[in-house]
Amino acid sequence: MAAPMVERGEDAFRTLFKFYRRKHPPPDLNNVVDFSKGIVCDKVLSTNLELSAVSDGEASRAGLRPVRDWRAFGLQGSPGFIFIANPFLRGAQPHWLRRCLKTYTQKPNVCNLDMHMSPAETDDIWGKSADILRKAPCGKKEPKTLLEKLRWVTLGYHYNWNTKTYSPEHHTPFPADLQRLSGLVAAAAGFPGFHAEAGILNYYRSDSSLGIHVDESELDHSRPLLSFCFGQSAIFLLGGTRREDPPTAMYMHSGDVMVMSGQSRLLYHAVPRILQDLPPPCGLRTTLSKGQGSPEQGVSGEEGVSGEDWAVCSRYIQSSRVNMTVRQVLGPGQSFPGVPKGSAPEGEGEGGGGERRRSSSGETESSDT
Ligand code: OGA
Ligand code: MN
C-alpha cells in the first residue's frame, strides 16, 4: 500500500507515523527519501559546507573524511536541515559504535537501567554482557543482557525525562572525543564555536520507535542539534513547526549525520521504524557483510577495535541501531535561570524538553504516537 495522502489538520504526522510503524502488512517505502542515492527527487537539494573550517588532519583524527568529500544535502521547505551521508572513514564507525556500547555506558553517565537497578548492578554494562553476546546463539531463548535492555544514555547535562529540563546540578563531564567530533561537524555545517554540552544516546532494538517530538529544552536554539546514526537503518520523519504539518520520510543509514539548525532546529520529528536487511548502505554494514575481522582504522589516537570487542559490537548491531544526539544547552555567556553567570560547570550545559517518548513491543506505547 502506498503512503497515505494525508491532509494537514487531521494530524498528518500521527497518520504517517502509524503507517511506517505498521508491521502487517509492511509499509510501502517508495516515498522514503534516500540521501545515500544523491539528488533523486526535487525535494532533495545539494548543500554547501564550510570546506576550510576543518583541516583534513582534524577530520581524520575524529574518523571523518576530508570535508570536501562529504555529500551534504538539504530538504526543500526545511532550511537549516543538513543531511550528511556517512562522512566517516572506513573503519571509524566501529570505533564510535564501541564508544557507545563500551565507554559511554559507564558511570558517571546515566542510563535507563539506573532508574530501576542499583549502581552495582549497572556498574559495568559492557562487561556483564560481552561474554554472552560474543557466544553464538544456542537456539534457546536466553535472558536479555544489560546491553540489550539499554534504551538511552545521557551525557554532560543529563536530560531530566520528567521535567524535560537540564539543570546545573545534574552534570558530569562530557566525553572529550565526542565533543571534538561534534565541534568539527558543526563547524563544517557553518557553526564554528559549537560546544557540545549534553548528549542523549538512543539504543533501538528492531521493534523500537521514538515518538513525535521537538527538542526544545536547550536554552539556546541558535545552536544546531547534531545526530549520528550507527547500525541498522531507520525511517526518520521530519515535519514542520506545527504538530499537524505533514512530515517527509527519509532513510537514516549507518554513518549518516544530521544537523538541525536555523529554521529547522525546532521541527517536529520522530523515528517510527527500525529496518533490517536493506542493501548494505555503508562501511559498517559492509564490514559486517564481508565478514572482515576487526576494523583496522584507529580514531582519536586509539587502537582500532579489537576482534574481541568487534565480536560483541557486530553481534549487538545485527538487530539494533544506536543514535547519538548532541546538543549545546547554553549560548556563549548564558547561564541557567537563577544561576549567576560564570557558575556553570566547566564545558557543558543544556535545558528544556519536547514530547520525546520511546516505545518498543512489550512497553507502553506513548499517547502521542
Ligand atoms: C532525539 C532524536 C533521533 C534518532 O534523541 O531527540 O530525535 O534517530 N533522535 O534517534
Ligand atoms: Mn529529537
Side-chain angles (χ1 to χ4, degrees):
M1 189 176 116
M5 292 300 292
V6 275
E7 302 289 331
R8 154 174 301 153
E10 58 169 292
D11 200 344
F13 206 135
R14 188 178 159 85
T15 306
L16 276 171
F17 184 94
K18 286 179 157 180
F19 174 79
Y20 284 112
R21 182 158 167 66
R22 196 181 61 197
K23 291 275 155 348
H24 304 291
D28 179 344
L29 301 181
N30 274 324
N31 292 332
V32 181
V33 173
D34 194 343
F35 289 101
S36 70
K37 299 204 159 72
I39 300 180
V40 285
C41 68
D42 51 13
K43 266 185 167 176
V44 176
L45 316 166
S46 79
T47 293
N48 292 326
L49 297 170
E50 293 293 331
L51 298 186
S52 58
V54 178
S55 73
D56 292 0
E58 287 173 307
S60 149
R61 279 190 291 281
L64 295 165
R65 281 183 270 190
V67 178
R68 63 182 170 279
D69 294 340
W70 297 7
R71 294 183 305 145
F73 304 97
L75 201 61
Q76 185 106 59
S78 307
F81 175 76
I82 304 172
F83 191 104
I84 306 166
N86 184 17
F88 288 96
L89 287 164
R90 188 174 170 73
Q93 286 190 59
H95 165 89
W96 287 109
L97 178 62
R98 182 180 57 170
R99 297 296 275 173
C100 292
L101 300 180
K102 187 174 182 177
T103 313
Y104 301 152
T105 50
Q106 289 168 23
K107 301 279 172 292
N109 301 333
V110 179
C111 73
N112 64 303
L113 303 174
D114 297 325
M115 304 296 128
H116 50 90
M117 293 172 83
S118 69
E121 286 173 302
T122 59
D123 178 39
D124 183 12
I125 291 172
W126 170 274
K128 289 184 169 99
S129 311
D131 282 345
I132 308 166
L133 278 173
R134 216 175 269 128
K135 287 187 198 123
C138 65
K140 64 175 192 279
K141 218 172 160 128
E142 310 261 358
K144 281 200 167 51
T145 59
L146 291 184
L147 261 186
E148 291 164 307
K149 290 184 187 167
L150 189 65
R151 290 294 170 272
W152 54 262
V153 166
T154 53
L155 310 171
Y157 284 115
H158 298 280
Y159 185 72
N160 182 320
W161 301 91
N162 296 319
T163 61
K164 299 176 175 172
T165 59
Y166 304 95
S167 94
E169 285 82 40
H170 198 190
H171 171 270
T172 57
F174 192 97
D177 59 348
L178 182 54
Q179 202 160 51
R180 267 193 304 277
L181 173 73
S182 304
L184 298 178
V185 169
F191 295 91
F194 176 83
H195 197 232
E197 296 173 318
I200 299 180
L201 313 189
N202 294 303
Y203 300 78
Y204 296 84
R205 307 294 293 168
S206 50
D207 57 358
S208 308
S209 60
L210 176 63
I212 305 165
H213 68 279
V214 177
D215 293 288
E216 61 192 359
S217 303
E218 298 73 26
L219 301 186
D220 182 358
H221 296 151
S222 72
R223 308 273 81 200
L225 188 144
L226 311 183
S227 170
F228 300 87
C229 306
F230 301 109
Q232 298 302 322
S233 300
I235 306 255
F236 183 74
L237 295 177
L238 182 69
T241 50
R242 287 166 305 187
R243 181 66 162 69
E244 66 269 25
D245 294 337
T248 301
M250 62 192 82
Y251 288 104
M252 291 184 292
H253 299 305
S254 194
D256 289 345
V257 178
M258 291 190 306
V259 180
M260 291 173 76
S261 68
Q263 290 183 39
S264 291
R265 174 64 180 76
L266 295 174
L267 297 185
Y268 279 93
H269 57 282
V271 182
R273 193 182 195 94
I274 307 303
L275 299 161
Q276 274 203 287
D277 298 326
L278 279 179
C282 69
L284 183 55
R285 293 187 52 129
T286 307
T287 307
L288 281 177
S289 58
K290 289 200 178 141
Q292 295 162 346
S294 60
E296 63 296 336
Q297 167 88 32
V299 175
S300 307
E302 269 194 33
E303 293 265 303
V305 176
S306 69
E308 220 184 18
D309 283 358
W310 182 240
V312 179
C313 294
S314 62
R315 180 70 193 286
Y316 174 86
I317 213 68
Q318 269 163 30
S319 52
S320 311
R321 165 176 189 266
V322 178
N323 177 265
M324 313 193 282
T325 57
V326 178
R327 304 117 193 274
Q328 175 165 346
V329 177
L330 301 166
Q334 194 176 17
S335 53
F336 285 98
V339 177
K341 274 193 181 157
S343 57
E346 256 291 285
E348 281 111 84
E350 158 147 35
E355 294 185 69
R356 51 176 44 260
R357 308 235 180 106
R358 285 156 180 67
S359 75
S360 56
S361 321
E363 288 173 21
T364 316
E365 190 162 339
S366 73
S367 57
D368 65 341
T369 56

